């Protein structure tokens, strides 16, 4: 797959606009230059540090995006290394986006347009072996510099991106070093590699290949096989992620064209449109992945709710309905799991609810909904309940409230402690130490998000236990519809008429209830068609 | 909530006499009271778990490991016991291990915590 993995220091993103309105956003918290990513860990499936360069542009060549190769397959690099000298099929056909066999860490750059993909093809062919990462990196970086200048959305940052290109090259090669050492390759590199040593290295490999082809089979022992299998799995998951990402990219592109049209219209009216949704600005890689996964989760949510609805109306047997209900609960388990992964890589994104719609964010509690609010909302809607069930629901309400209170107090103590630490940061030398302490304290945030999600998950599971199957099915339908409406409210609010803001007469600045009614009627068929 | 501090009193430990498997010590301390929490004074999740029990009207016994001379060993032992990267907070009820924050909250939500507390005599009515 196309995603690189990065675990380097935080950096400041750079954002620029050229005359075409193209916009580069690079992922904060990862050192991602225009040349791409670093640092792949070859252990598997869920490495959350996947940086993207999200490319918002209305004139992205679509053929670029439709490149369906399964893109870069790390496992093949590894197999190549393992089976030294065994000629592996040339992967250029599958991965035209990359410079032949870059370092395992050099991954897809979705922001690079077509021009980019043709040049590496040439260089990769000259590079020959898929293991010839060194020279590929060289040609790549020099090509990248050329690309940067010609592309130049970051025109005034060409020099810094050169630096980054070189830094990335260093990182790539350091990472490659690690991988090769892992594979018990006896080739060793000395420190930050130079171009020359990279060129030498593949030659060494070729030399070694003749003699070691007999040992290559022996090297396919159980451990290696398992590692290969793991890598295959990781590659498969990466391919899936890439697909999802590409879909998201496409839809974002559509959205952006619409927004730009709106902007044009508004500018023509001399009006300033503020707030273009949450898509602007910088997203860390973990955040971007999560947003994508959440979007997919929402689609699944629609589908599962439709299943619940039809299941209830069709008067299915309890057994069949149970399957659907359990499916819906697993669906929620899944989002909590995804949030856990996202919190590891970007806790601020999760805890500040950037992935939610604004209306949902109003009710934010430690990165999600407040379980006791949910129970409050449900209480009137679950009737009829037996006495025992009522007791169960009220107990649930009480225990969620107590647990929420405890977590909130813990978080407050964390905040207080942080305030003291940050305030105490004195002159530079002491200040640094205090900052380090503050960083340590911030890391506790992830724990709170996890516990809050744990609480939400347990609440949903307990609801399932207190209620009968039919009641549970209705309950989850109610929950799904409730949040659907809340999300719709955000869209409606965003699209409410602003003419009143243009008015010179300040008395008419307030939108009236009738205005709101008009919006609802106008948008009703759009927003409520899914319900 | 009351905090337990070891009184050295007449016992003068020499370096080599720092006996006691930390795990044994943990179990001993855990069985001394109905609800025992191993915590660290700087840990805010520990603060949350203390608030949870106090909010329920329970009076837990808290051992702050960072204020205990043998705290480091106990911390390591707890980490091994829980299989966690974080040793605290950890809760014992009626001498038996309940777990860390996630287990405690899960058992509170699914209704098993209160009976456990009542059984241990930490909660009445």
């Amino acid at each position: 797959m196309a995603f690189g993995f990065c675990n380097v220091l935080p950096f400041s993103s750079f954002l620029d606009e050229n005359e075409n309105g193209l916009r580069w956003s690079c992922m904060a918290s990862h050192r991602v230059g225009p040349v791409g990513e670093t640092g792949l860990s070859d252990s598997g499936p869920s490495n959350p540090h996947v940086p993207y360069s999200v490319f918002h542009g209305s004139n992205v060549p679509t053929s670029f995006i439709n490149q369906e190769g399964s893109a870069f397959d790390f496992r093949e690099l590894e197999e190549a290394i393992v089976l030294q000298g065994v000629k592996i099929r040339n992967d250029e056909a599958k991965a035209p986006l990359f410079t032949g066999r870059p370092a395992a860490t050099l991954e897809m750059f979705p922001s690079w347009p077509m021009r980019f993909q043709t040049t590496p093809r040439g260089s990769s062919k000259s590079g020959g072996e898929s293991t010839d990462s060194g020279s590929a990196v060289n040609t790549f970086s020099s090509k990248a510099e050329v690309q940067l200048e010609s592309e130049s959305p970051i025109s005034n940052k060409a020099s810094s991106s050169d630096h980054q290109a070189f830094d990335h090259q260093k990182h790539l090669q350091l990472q490659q070093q690690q991988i090769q050492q892992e594979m018990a390759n006896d080739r060793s590199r000395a420190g930050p590699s130079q171009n020359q040593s990279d060129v030498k290295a593949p030659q060494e490999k070729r030399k070694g290949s003749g003699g070691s082809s007999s040992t290559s089979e022996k090297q396919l022992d159980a451990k290696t096989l398992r590692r290969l299998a793991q890598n295959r799995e990781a590659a498969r998951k990466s391919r899936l992620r890439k697909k999802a990402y590409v879909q998201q990219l496409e839809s974002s592109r559509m959205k952006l064209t619409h927004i730009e049209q709106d902007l044009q219209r508004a500018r023509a009216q001399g009006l300033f449109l503020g707030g273009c949704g949450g898509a602007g600005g910088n997203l860390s890689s973990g955040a971007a992945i999560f947003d994508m996964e959440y979007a997919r989760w929402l689609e699944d949510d629609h589908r599962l709710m439709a299943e619940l609805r039809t299941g209830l109306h069709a008067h299915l047997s309890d057994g069949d309905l149970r399957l659907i209900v359990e499916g819906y609960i697993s669906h929620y388990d899944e989002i909590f799991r995804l949030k856990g992964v996202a919190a590891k890589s970007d806790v601020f994104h999760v805890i500040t609810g950037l992935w939610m719609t604004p209306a949902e964010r109003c009710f934010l509690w430690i990165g999600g909904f407040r379980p006791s609010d949910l129970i409050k909302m449900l209480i009137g809607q679950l009737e009829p309940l037996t006495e025992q069930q009522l007791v169960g629901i009220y107990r649930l309400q009480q225990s969620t409230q107590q647990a929420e209170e405890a977590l909130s107090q813990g978080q407050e103590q964390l905040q207080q402690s942080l305030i003291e630490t940050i305030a105490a940061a004195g002159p530079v030398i002491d200040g640094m130490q205090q900052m380090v302490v503050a960083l340590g304290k911030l890391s506790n945030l992830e724990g709170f998000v996890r516990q809050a999600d744990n609480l939400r998950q347990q609440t949903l599971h307990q609801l399932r236990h207190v209620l009968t199957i039919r009641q549970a099915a209705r309950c989850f339908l109610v929950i799904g519809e409730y949040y659907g409406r809340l999300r719709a409210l955000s869209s409606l609010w965003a699209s409410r008429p602003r003419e009143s803001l243009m008015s010179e007469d300040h008395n008419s600045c307030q939108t009236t209830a009738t205005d709101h009614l008009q919006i609802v009627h106008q948008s009703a068929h759009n927003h409520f068609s899914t319900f | 909530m009351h905090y337990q501090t070891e009184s050295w009193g007449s016992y003068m430990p020499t370096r080599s006499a720092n006996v006691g498997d930390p795990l044994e010590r943990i179990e001993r301390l855990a069985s001394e009271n109905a609800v025992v929490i191993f915590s660290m004074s700087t840990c805010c999740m520990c603060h949350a778990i203390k608030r949870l029990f106090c909010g329920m009207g329970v009076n837990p016994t808290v051992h702050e490991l960072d204020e205990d001379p043998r705290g480091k060993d106990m911390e390591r032992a707890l980490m091994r016991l829980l299989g966690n990267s974080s040793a605290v907070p950890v809760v014992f009820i009626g001498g038996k291990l309940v777990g860390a924050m996630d287990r405690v909250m899960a058992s509170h939500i699914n209704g098993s915590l209160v009976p456990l507390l009542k059984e241990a005599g930490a909660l009445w009515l």
Side-chain angles (χ1 to χ4, degrees):
Chain A
M1 161 61 277
F3 300 135
F5 295 81
C6 182
N7 48 9
V8 197
L9 306 163
F11 94 126
S12 56
S13 63
F14 46 96
L15 199 69
D16 213 331
E17 255 183 79
N18 65 10
E19 57 283 329
N20 296 330
L22 293 174
R23 190 180 266 176
W24 284 88
S25 350
C26 290
M27 301 309 142
S29 89
H30 295 283
R31 186 176 264 274
V32 176
V35 287
E37 295 75 33
T38 70
L40 173 71
S41 77
D42 66 334
S43 70
S46 56
N47 183 330
H49 299 290
V50 178
Y52 296 76
S53 294
V54 177
F55 185 64
H56 301 293
S58 51
N59 49 353
V60 173
T62 45
S63 54
F64 171 82
I65 288 181
N66 292 333
Q67 273 300 336
E68 203 51 51
S70 47
F72 176 62
D73 236 351
F74 173 54
R75 70 165 167 107
E76 285 167 9
L77 168 66
E78 195 154 14
E79 283 178 7
I81 296 173
V82 168
L83 309 169
Q84 289 178 1
V86 177
K87 298 267 184 188
I88 295 184
R89 62 184 150 75
N90 195 324
D91 253 353
E92 280 98 351
K94 273 177 75 176
L97 296 170
F98 310 110
T99 58
R101 223 10 108 206
T105 57
L106 195 59
E107 303 283 20
M108 166 173 151
F109 309 119
S111 39
W112 287 102
M114 271 175 64
R115 247 177 296 166
F116 172 71
Q117 72 198 59
T118 53
T119 43
R121 220 188 283 246
S123 68
S124 66
K125 283 212 172 92
S126 64
E129 286 282 335
S130 56
T131 56
D132 186 0
S133 42
S135 53
V137 171
N138 305 335
T139 45
F140 171 65
S141 58
S142 56
K143 292 287 178 233
E145 286 161 21
V146 168
Q147 292 291 341
L148 283 173
E149 275 140 44
S150 54
E151 267 302 297
S152 194
I154 313 165
S155 46
N156 59 343
K157 306 224 185 196
S159 56
S160 67
S161 45
D162 286 357
H163 278 300
Q164 292 207 334
F166 182 65
D167 284 349
H168 278 290
Q169 202 180 332
K170 272 201 248 178
H171 279 299
L172 289 166
Q173 286 154 1
L174 282 172
Q175 276 294 334
Q176 195 180 3
Q177 206 172 345
Q178 288 171 16
I179 291 165
Q180 289 170 345
Q181 280 166 2
E182 265 185 270
M183 301 304 299
N185 200 318
D186 56 356
R187 227 170 2 103
S188 64
R189 287 168 191 252
S193 41
Q194 305 303 314
N195 294 348
Q196 293 75 22
S197 66
D198 287 349
V199 172
K200 275 190 221 144
Q203 292 172 354
E204 280 173 39
K205 225 184 240 180
R206 289 202 199 94
K207 260 191 270 177
S209 68
S212 62
S213 53
S214 57
T215 57
S216 62
E217 281 83 350
K218 288 178 197 158
Q219 288 178 343
L220 287 180
D221 55 17
K223 184 178 171 199
T224 317
L225 283 172
R226 207 193 65 215
R227 190 197 292 277
L228 292 176
Q230 282 173 354
N231 286 335
R232 268 193 287 277
E233 183 58 28
R236 188 182 66 83
K237 289 217 166 98
S238 290
R239 279 193 290 271
L240 290 173
R241 280 203 292 271
K242 175 198 174 185
K243 238 186 191 166
Y245 171 69
V246 165
Q247 282 174 357
Q248 178 77 348
L249 205 56
E250 288 280 296
S251 63
S252 300
R253 196 161 67 83
M254 290 286 120
K255 221 194 304 180
L256 187 68
T257 30
H258 290 146
I259 291 174
E260 281 181 332
Q261 282 167 10
D262 286 347
L263 197 62
Q264 298 286 35
R265 237 179 288 128
R267 279 201 180 132
Q269 297 173 18
L271 182 70
F272 172 70
L273 265 185
C276 55
N282 312 307
L283 278 180
S284 75
S285 56
I289 295 185
F290 177 71
D291 283 0
M292 213 173 64
E293 289 170 330
Y294 179 62
R296 239 184 315 152
W297 186 86
L298 283 176
E299 289 169 14
D300 287 343
D301 198 56
H302 269 143
R303 184 176 45 85
L304 287 168
M305 275 190 8
E307 263 184 52
L308 273 173
R309 209 173 285 122
T310 50
L312 277 171
H313 289 147
H315 299 290
L316 287 182
S317 72
D318 275 6
D320 292 338
L321 208 50
R322 172 169 292 120
L323 283 174
I324 301 181
V325 168
E326 314 260 279
Y328 197 72
I329 297 186
S330 310
H331 171 68
Y332 264 95
D333 287 346
E334 177 64 11
I335 191 64
F336 294 130
R337 186 189 69 80
L338 291 171
K339 281 172 77 181
V341 171
K344 276 195 170 57
S345 85
D346 189 348
V347 69
F348 284 127
H349 183 78
V350 177
I351 207 173
T352 54
L354 290 176
W355 48 280
M356 297 171 144
T357 59
E360 288 174 289
R361 223 176 291 144
C362 264
F363 301 97
L364 185 70
W365 176 76
I366 313 187
F369 66 83
R370 199 180 268 273
S372 59
D373 279 353
L374 189 72
I375 306 293
K376 255 184 254 171
M377 185 271 291
L378 285 171
I379 277 188
Q381 318 226 11
L382 294 176
E383 267 119 45
L385 294 174
T386 67
E387 179 105 8
Q388 192 182 26
Q389 286 178 324
L390 262 173
V391 170
I393 295 289
Y394 277 110
R395 278 218 183 109
L396 183 58
Q397 188 179 31
Q398 191 181 36
S399 54
T400 51
Q401 276 170 341
Q402 284 169 343
E404 278 169 28
E405 184 59 30
L407 282 178
S408 296
Q409 292 198 15
Q411 197 194 23
E412 259 175 52
Q413 198 203 41
L414 177 62
Q415 285 176 335
Q416 187 57 41
S417 165
L418 258 173
I419 291 175
E420 288 165 12
T421 305
I422 299 174
V428 178
I429 297 186
D430 293 333
M432 274 318 297
Q433 195 188 6
Q434 289 296 80
M435 294 302 257
V436 168
V437 172
L439 281 173
K441 292 186 177 176
L442 272 182
S443 63
N444 286 308
L445 278 178
E446 190 209 322
F448 278 97
V449 173
R450 282 222 52 240
Q451 294 306 331
D453 276 348
N454 181 30
L455 185 61
R456 292 174 193 118
Q457 189 176 23
Q458 294 301 322
T459 305
L460 292 172
H461 282 245
Q462 181 65 5
L463 273 172
R464 157 76 188 86
H465 284 127
V466 168
L467 302 171
T468 66
I469 269 295
R470 299 206 80 80
Q471 288 169 329
R474 255 191 309 128
C475 171
F476 289 123
L477 200 56
V478 166
I479 293 176
E481 286 178 352
Y482 175 79
Y483 284 111
R485 277 184 225 127
L486 202 52
R487 286 189 283 268
L489 207 57
S490 294
S491 317
L492 289 173
W493 181 258
S495 60
R496 74 195 192 286
R498 322 267 180 140
E499 294 90 53
S500 51
L501 295 173
M502 276 169 60
S503 163
E504 296 292 336
D505 180 0
H506 291 292
N507 290 337
S508 61
C509 260
Q510 288 175 331
T511 50
T512 63
T514 42
D515 289 338
H516 287 143
L517 207 54
Q518 274 176 357
I519 308 169
V520 173
H521 279 306
Q522 280 165 15
S523 322
H525 74 282
N526 285 334
H527 292 280
F528 288 97
S529 58
T530 46
F531 296 118
Chain B
M1 170 158 56
H2 52 282
Y3 292 81
Q4 202 82 319
T5 50
E6 277 287 300
S7 65
W8 293 104
S10 52
Y11 177 60
M12 201 53 181
T14 62
R15 282 234 173 256
S16 57
N18 214 354
V19 296
D21 177 29
L23 204 55
E24 269 180 37
R25 180 146 185 267
I26 290 171
E27 285 171 1
R28 183 171 52 82
L29 291 173
S31 48
E32 280 176 0
N33 295 91
V35 180
V36 175
I37 304 180
F38 290 97
S39 151
M40 281 206 261
S41 55
T42 52
C43 163
C44 32
M45 196 55 83
C46 300
H47 181 74
I49 220 174
K50 292 174 210 165
R51 301 306 327 153
L52 179 63
F53 282 105
C54 291
M56 296 196 306
V58 174
N59 188 20
T61 306
V62 180
H63 295 277
E64 303 283 9
L65 294 183
D66 52 343
E67 292 166 4
D68 189 310
R70 281 177 278 175
K72 267 282 161 204
D73 295 331
M74 290 165 70
E75 193 187 330
R76 266 192 296 264
L78 281 172
M79 264 193 264
R80 256 179 283 131
L81 188 66
L82 293 175
N84 247 1
S85 54
S86 139
V88 291
V90 148
V91 175
F92 288 79
I93 299 182
K96 288 204 279 279
L97 174 68
V98 173
M101 181 55 132
D102 51 353
R103 283 284 199 79
V104 170
M105 274 211 314
S107 75
H108 190 33
I109 296 301
N110 69 28
S112 57
L113 187 63
V114 167
L116 207 59
L117 288 167
K118 287 189 179 164
E119 208 184 341
L123 207 56
W124 295 278
L125 180 49

